[in-house]
Amino acid sequence: FDARELAAFSRFCSGSARLPTHSLKLTLPPPGSDENPDGFLPLSQTCFVSLALPRYSSADVCARKLRYAIENAYLMDADFLMRHNEGWDAIDT
């Protein structure tokens, strides 16, 4: 993964462009992914900075699924959204 992909991965797992204040937690594979893990995408829970990965058949499949998820997931980005709220302009960023 290059620097852009790592930043997107951080955003995918935490919902923020900034690095999270606590570590990423790996959780159990997504429900229902046991029979055909390669048919599932990674699942993140941004509130908990957690990532659930199916038990993919290979590291290559895992990397492809992660790249797809981080490039195509529509996420909330509190850093971006808050900048449009009243009072944000008074904060020096």
Side-chain angles (χ1 to χ4, degrees), residues 27-69:
T27 61
L28 294 173
S33 67
D34 290 336
E35 272 188 43
N36 179 24
D38 291 353
F40 284 77
L41 291 170
L43 175 68
S44 68
Q45 293 182 315
T46 58
C47 292
F48 302 107
V49 191
S50 69
L51 178 66
L53 289 173
R55 290 184 176 95
Y56 293 120
S57 60
S58 70
D60 182 57
V61 171
C62 182
R64 281 185 296 155
K65 295 290 186 172
L66 272 172
R67 282 186 174 103
Y68 182 86

Side-chain angles (χ1 to χ4, degrees), residues 4 15 23 29 34-35 43 53 58 74-75 81 86 89 91:
R4 183 191 58 79
S23 330
D34 290 336
E35 272 188 43
L43 175 68
L53 289 173
S58 70
Y74 293 97
L75 303 171
L81 295 174
E86 186 177 319
D89 55 342
I91 298 174

Side-chain angles (χ1 to χ4, degrees), residues 69-83:
I70 65 177
E71 302 258 340
N72 293 286
Y74 293 97
L75 303 171
M76 71 172 189
D77 185 339
D79 293 338
F80 175 76
L81 295 174
M82 291 300 294
R83 289 190 180 116

